[in-house]
Amino acid sequence: MARVVKVFVTLRNHWKKSTVAACALSYGGHWLYGKHWCEFGRQQISPQEQLKKATVILNPAACRGKANNLFEKNAAPILHLAGMEVTLVKTDYEGQAKKLMELMEQTDMLIVAGGDGTLQEVITGLLRRADHESFSKTPIGFIPLGSHNSLSESLHILSDNQVKHITSATLSILQGETVPLDVLQIKGEKEQPVFALIGLRWGAFRDVASTIKKYWYLGPLKIKAAHWFSTLREWPQVHEASVSYIAPTLRPPDLPEQKPQRPNLMYRIARRLKNYWYPPIPESPKVEEPERWDERTLSTLELSIQTQNKNPVQTRIDDSLLVCVEPDSFTVYINHWTRCITVFDNYNLQTNDMYSCINWFILVCVRYSFCSMTSPYCPVPFPLPQEGAGFYNIDNEEYEAMSVEVRLLPRKLRFFCSAERREQLLTQVL
């Protein structure tokens, strides 16, 4: 007790020094408390600096219900150690991500944690917003947690180890390097448009791929069994379609968005006086040339319309998409059995015939011999499939087949990309 009294007496006798020391200790404690370290870049974040806001859309049902556990163990710690203000939003049912995106506030970055279905819902909800022009400039990160992660091979280093794949994708977001990706706008007659990053797929191979899971009890023979039973159910497996398209246009150069500097006051006054005394002569309106449409009637086993996002760093001279057509010979379908197995394992369509001259948008009218309805989207009326006649795959998600308008939105969104994967893709181009 005597020591405590002695300390207080000393502080009272030297109250000026005690006040200065107390202020210094308070400031130093506040500075240390507010000081953060970014483990990823070893960067110091001062207390006055505002943290980056990251909104994560997580689908807990992805990867057979394991997505939430995979994210919390492998991705969330990296985001928090990087000094980000993370807002985690979990979806409860299919289609909820579209509604969440319509209500979401502006953020510094958007992170999608899930598979192809979750990613498609997010970009569809984003591009349906009234302010999608400004909101689409928000960079997007993709953490592959789904059963199908088709876009991951274009953005991240491929790895057989799932944990390594997830951490690599998360670190690529922190690196901050982005690449522009094209988007497909797919619109039917009545429904709202659906947006895709990979493409649309329709035909016999797609139908077989959707039935493989039914034969799980056959083990390694399930893929061959799916082909065999599909052949017995439907003969021949030929699909007919009418494709109308516009030729490609030149791709404008990638220029950074720079706001022009405002001229000085004297220049603006002189320009206004000049326009007042010598008004400019109005230019005659330019006569726009009518769009030239080409049309092809196709008979094929498989038709797919794809973006060129497989290699987003490749320099292209035009904005275009790919229309891939399989041959219509059933003999080829049987002879390419091994190739079809590879297609379904990798979910990457390999084609024998390809039209790469498609640009901006396409009208696709599919038909069957027993249908009689017509579509206003086709320049020439073609029958449409009735209910249950077939299905599309749009980014590996199933939709009922109907006549659709496919429009290309070039370089619409920017996604975070791994620097290592970018170098690999550049090497492939060279």
Side-chain angles (χ1 to χ4, degrees):
M1 188 66 182
R3 293 183 178 179
V4 176
V5 174
K6 185 178 181 180
V7 169
F8 278 105
V9 171
T10 303
L11 293 176
R12 186 189 62 181
N13 295 335
H14 304 279
W15 63 273
K16 295 181 180 179
K17 296 179 180 179
S18 301
T19 303
V20 173
C23 293
L25 288 175
S26 300
Y27 177 80
H30 176 74
W31 180 78
L32 290 174
Y33 177 78
K35 195 176 183 63
H36 303 277
W37 286 85
C38 174
E39 292 293 335
F40 171 73
R42 296 184 180 275
Q43 300 173 355
Q44 299 181 17
I45 303 177
S46 64
Q48 295 79 16
E49 186 176 352
Q50 189 174 3
L51 300 180
K52 289 186 177 180
K53 296 181 180 180
T55 302
V56 181
I57 306 295
L58 171 63
N59 179 14
C63 195
R64 300 178 182 178
K66 301 177 183 178
N68 185 64
N69 190 32
L70 290 172
F71 177 80
E72 293 294 342
K73 285 187 176 181
N74 305 302
I78 298 177
L79 296 176
H80 289 296
L81 286 173
M84 289 186 177
E85 183 180 339
V86 181
T87 302
L88 180 61
V89 181
K90 298 181 181 181
T91 58
D92 298 325
Y93 54 88
E94 185 178 354
Q96 187 183 18
K98 299 177 186 178
K99 299 179 180 179
L100 292 174
M101 288 304 302
E102 294 175 359
L103 303 174
M104 194 179 73
E105 298 180 354
Q106 189 68 40
T107 181
D108 293 327
M109 64 180 66
L110 178 64
I111 301 175
V112 182
D116 289 344
T118 309
L119 184 60
Q120 187 204 64
E121 287 186 11
V122 169
I123 66 169
T124 297
L126 187 153
L127 295 177
R128 284 180 181 176
R129 292 172 60 107
D131 59 343
H132 67 89
E133 289 294 341
S134 60
F135 207 91
S136 60
K137 297 179 181 179
T138 303
I140 304 174
F142 178 50
I143 300 178
L145 298 178
S147 301
H148 308 312
N149 307 294
S150 304
L151 190 65
S152 184
E153 65 180 47
S154 302
L155 303 175
H156 313 134
I157 295 293
L158 301 179
S159 175
D160 296 332
N161 188 323
Q162 187 180 29
V163 174
K164 185 176 180 181
H165 196 186
I166 295 172
T167 55
S168 174
T170 309
L171 290 174
S172 68
I173 296 174
L174 303 182
Q175 290 175 354
E177 187 171 347
T178 60
V179 292
L181 295 184
D182 298 339
V183 178
L184 292 184
Q185 176 184 300
I186 304 172
K187 190 176 186 304
E189 296 181 3
K190 300 179 181 179
E191 302 293 332
Q192 286 186 298
V194 175
F195 298 88
L197 292 168
I198 305 300
L200 179 149
R201 184 181 176 192
W202 174 65
F205 297 158
R206 190 224 72 86
D207 296 340
V208 174
S210 63
T211 62
I212 291 177
K213 293 181 180 180
K214 296 180 180 179
Y215 305 102
W216 59 269
Y217 51 86
L218 296 178
L221 298 178
K222 61 183 179 181
I223 298 178
K224 293 184 178 181
H227 281 277
W228 177 256
F229 289 115
S230 177
T231 304
L232 295 179
R233 284 194 303 267
E234 184 180 356
W235 179 283
Q237 297 191 345
V238 176
H239 295 65
E240 296 181 353
S242 172
V243 180
S244 303
Y245 58 90
I246 302 175
T249 57
L250 294 178
R251 183 170 192 155
D254 294 324
L255 298 176
E257 297 184 1
Q258 294 181 353
K259 187 176 181 180
Q261 295 182 355
R262 188 180 185 185
N264 57 49
L265 179 61
M266 296 303 298
Y267 178 83
R268 296 199 305 271
I269 294 175
R271 184 176 57 183
R272 289 187 179 184
L273 291 175
K274 179 181 178 182
N275 292 336
Y276 178 78
W277 293 106
Y278 303 98
I281 302 175
E283 298 181 359
S284 58
K286 295 182 180 180
V287 179
E288 297 183 358
E289 296 183 0
E291 296 177 339
R292 181 180 177 183
W293 284 81
D294 293 325
E295 182 180 345
R296 288 181 182 269
T297 301
L298 306 175
S299 179
T300 176
L301 290 172
E302 183 93 351
L303 170 67
S304 66
I305 302 173
Q306 303 173 353
T307 63
Q308 300 194 50
N309 291 336
K310 188 175 181 180
N311 191 344
V313 301
Q314 181 179 3
T315 303
R316 302 195 301 269
I317 61 173
D318 54 27
D319 287 319
S320 60
L321 49 81
L322 304 178
V323 174
C324 309
V325 181
E326 289 285 349
D328 59 355
S329 172
F330 193 82
T331 305
V332 177
Y333 177 67
I334 294 294
N335 291 340
H336 286 72
W337 208 337
T338 305
R339 184 184 61 80
C340 295
I341 295 174
T342 304
V343 168
F344 295 133
D345 286 344
N346 297 334
Y347 289 90
N348 178 22
L349 181 65
Q350 303 174 11
T351 57
N352 298 89
D353 193 9
M354 181 177 296
Y355 302 105
S356 60
C357 57
I358 312 303
N359 177 60
W360 287 109
F361 71 98
I362 298 176
L363 298 179
V364 182
C365 299
V366 297
R367 63 176 180 173
Y368 288 81
S369 58
F370 53 84
C371 300
S372 59
M373 297 175 62
T374 59
S375 169
Y377 285 97
C378 297
V380 180
F382 281 102
L384 292 176
Q386 293 178 348
E387 184 177 356
F391 293 91
Y392 291 138
N393 261 17
I394 301 178
D395 281 4
N396 287 325
E397 292 296 305
E398 195 171 83
Y399 291 83
E400 185 178 356
M402 64 179 67
S403 293
V404 292
E405 174 190 287
V406 183
R407 183 183 297 270
L408 179 68
L409 307 178
R411 295 175 291 182
K412 183 65 175 179
L413 301 174
R414 298 196 68 87
F415 274 72
F416 290 105
C417 177
S418 168
E420 295 80 4
R421 184 56 180 164
R422 184 186 181 92
E423 293 297 329
Q424 290 181 357
L425 294 175
L426 287 174
T427 304
Q428 293 178 7
V429 174
L430 299 177

